[in-house]
Amino acid sequence: MTIADWLAMAKADAEKRGLPELIPALEGLAQATERLRAADWNDDADKDKPKQ
């Protein structure tokens, strides 16, 4: 699941539950997550994964 997929589902769920005020917080969380994952100090989680 991508961050964009998660955000779309989370926003739809917030709307369905009548909580549209959560959408800006969800968007901020998605942006922060993207930035953290893109950081140059972030380790590659797959680097030690055995090749199949």
Side-chain angles (χ1 to χ4, degrees):
M1 174 181 292
T2 66
I3 294 170
D5 292 338
W6 171 84
L7 179 58
M9 290 174 36
K11 287 169 67 173
D13 188 54
E15 288 285 347
K16 184 175 101 176
R17 294 171 188 259
L19 301 169
E21 65 275 7
L22 288 180
I23 292 175
L26 293 169
E27 290 171 341
L29 179 58
Q31 288 176 356
T33 302
E34 286 177 339
R35 289 178 181 155
L36 284 170
R37 288 187 178 178
D40 61 356
W41 47 264
N42 198 9
D43 290 335
D44 181 2
D46 291 330
K47 71 178 180 179
D48 295 327
K49 185 177 176 181
K51 300 199 191 249
Q52 296 178 344

